[in-house]
Amino acid sequence: MGHCQMYIYGEALYQHLLTHPRRTTHIQSAKLGVMPPFMAYERHWPWYDPPEENMAVPGTDCYDITLVEARRLYEEYNAAHDLQSGFFITLVDLDPDWFHEKDKASYADPLFSWAKLNMLETFWRPHRDISMPPPATERLLRYKSRMRGLSAKKYLLTFKGTLNRHPVRKSLATLHNESAGILILDSSKQNAGYDFDDLTTNSKFTLVVRGDVQYSYRFTEAVCSGAVPILVADGWVPPFTTLVPFEAYGLRILEEEWQGLVALLLSVGDQQWLDMQHNALAFCHNNLVSVHHQFDTMISLLLSNDIQ
């Protein structure tokens, strides 16, 4: 598969896997195999734009070939080495779309475990598949020096992004009330005076709202910001949720429940907020703060007894 393209994210994961202390060269003792991450289409890391700068190895799109090769390699190795009962192959898929397999059969194949960005409840098998987080960005380094305690928070709720990406964003924008500390802003030139980092780190709560697809690229930044994340994305499985449930560090509402959001936030007491902030920052520092933390969490979950 030397002709296959690979993004910088995939190359970083591949090198991490090669040097991982749990890696074995004795296939008979392996619990699982991980295919080379040709499907890790993370086009926005480490630079959000332009995406073509994030290609490590130019070549052919090998998404479908990777699936074919995974099945072929399993059959070949199982015939030659009698693999462990329950052996499975992990496919790391950072494409947020679900359109590659028209019949979606591969998402239910017991041979595979999917570690996927934008994991959807429709396809998620809780004890086999992993919902992957968006990669950590350089913004997280700035957040460390800007961390604010509860008494220093200037805003109740903030969001700054492209509001026309989904109708629920436009609905939430109607809650904008600067005098009440609720700032829901479009990322247009007219709002250039509002700094994204300042808004997020100085807010008690920050929105994580679906856009063109269910997941939000800002999820990791929101969890690590010192605000409590508010998730509005029906059908999206929060990243690493079998390890740390989203309810431990954030609040979630259905998209149709947006009108009740302010009342919900006002009902959160100080101690409940502090507990959620503490849990969010612990989750960030242990599992999200760098792509290598994310890789290690993925591997740990794959090797744990939670995967069946």
Side-chain angles (χ1 to χ4, degrees):
M1 302 176 74
H3 63 286
C4 297
Q5 69 181 17
M6 187 176 288
Y7 283 86
I8 292 175
Y9 178 97
E11 177 67 18
L13 172 56
Y14 186 61
Q15 295 301 323
H16 196 76
L17 291 169
L18 290 177
T19 58
H20 195 275
R22 298 291 299 274
R23 178 177 179 246
T24 179
T25 55
H26 302 287
I27 192 165
Q28 296 94 330
S29 63
K31 178 180 179 180
L32 64 103
V34 182
M35 288 296 290
F38 297 120
M39 305 160 83
Y41 295 168
E42 182 42 74
R43 301 177 177 89
H44 298 300
W45 187 87
W47 301 282
Y48 194 82
D49 284 311
E52 59 269 15
E53 294 294 325
N54 296 317
M55 182 71 72
V57 181
T60 306
D61 180 338
C62 287
Y63 191 102
D64 294 331
I65 295 173
T66 301
L67 288 171
V68 173
E69 281 296 293
R71 292 190 177 95
R72 185 190 67 79
L73 288 171
Y74 173 79
E75 293 170 1
E76 179 181 312
Y77 285 136
N78 193 40
H81 302 288
D82 192 21
L83 299 176
Q84 284 191 31
S85 175
F87 180 93
F88 59 90
I89 294 174
T90 297
L91 298 162
V92 182
D93 179 359
L94 268 286
D95 190 335
D97 291 327
W98 289 77
F99 304 136
H100 290 282
E101 283 281 293
K102 291 182 180 178
D103 60 1
K104 309 296 191 296
S106 293
Y107 299 126
D109 193 325
L111 173 59
F112 297 144
S113 168
W114 290 84
K116 182 157 175 53
L117 186 71
N118 196 35
M119 179 63 73
L120 302 182
E121 294 171 356
T122 305
F123 302 105
W124 182 51
R125 297 166 296 176
H127 298 289
R128 175 165 290 269
D129 300 323
I130 297 173
S131 179
M132 292 295 289
T137 66
E138 84 291 340
R139 180 169 271 130
L140 273 56
L141 300 176
R142 300 199 294 271
Y143 284 173
K144 251 185 161 180
S145 62
R146 296 189 179 201
M147 206 61 63
R148 301 287 186 272
L150 178 58
S151 61
K153 299 287 188 180
K154 296 190 294 185
Y155 310 114
L156 175 65
L157 175 68
T158 59
F159 175 83
K160 186 178 181 182
T162 308
L163 295 179
N164 65 6
R165 293 292 189 188
H166 191 270
V168 73
R169 291 191 176 197
K170 293 182 178 180
S171 296
L172 287 164
T174 65
L175 301 177
H176 178 90
N177 182 347
E178 194 158 353
S179 64
I182 301 171
L183 278 70
I184 302 176
L185 305 164
D186 189 70
S187 54
S188 55
K189 289 182 179 179
Q190 69 184 39
N191 292 318
Y194 293 93
D195 178 71
F196 184 95
D197 294 346
D198 178 73
L199 289 171
T200 307
T201 56
N202 280 291
S203 184
K204 287 182 67 176
F205 302 96
T206 189
L207 281 166
V208 180
V209 191
R210 67 156 300 161
D212 295 329
V213 293
Q214 285 84 350
Y215 97 108
S216 169
Y217 193 82
R218 300 303 179 191
F219 172 87
T220 299
E221 295 172 353
V223 175
C224 295
S225 68
V228 168
I230 308 299
L231 184 58
V232 189
D234 293 359
W236 182 35
V237 179
F240 300 148
T241 189
T242 56
L243 179 68
V244 182
F246 183 80
E247 294 72 22
Y249 60 89
L251 299 172
R252 185 170 195 174
I253 64 168
L254 294 174
E255 293 168 19
E256 65 181 16
E257 297 174 344
W258 65 270
Q259 290 174 303
L261 176 58
V262 175
L264 174 64
L265 301 187
L266 293 175
S267 73
V268 175
D270 288 353
Q271 190 57 53
Q272 182 185 0
W273 184 90
L274 288 168
D275 289 344
M276 286 191 292
Q277 185 204 43
H278 172 81
N279 292 340
L281 293 177
F283 181 40
C284 170
H285 295 151
N286 293 333
N287 308 105
L288 301 177
V289 73
S290 73
V291 290
H292 294 96
H293 283 74
Q294 296 176 5
F295 298 159
D296 282 337
T297 301
M298 179 193 78
I299 295 166
S300 177
L301 283 171
L302 289 170
L303 292 172
S304 74
N305 291 329
D306 291 334
I307 298 292
Q308 299 174 2

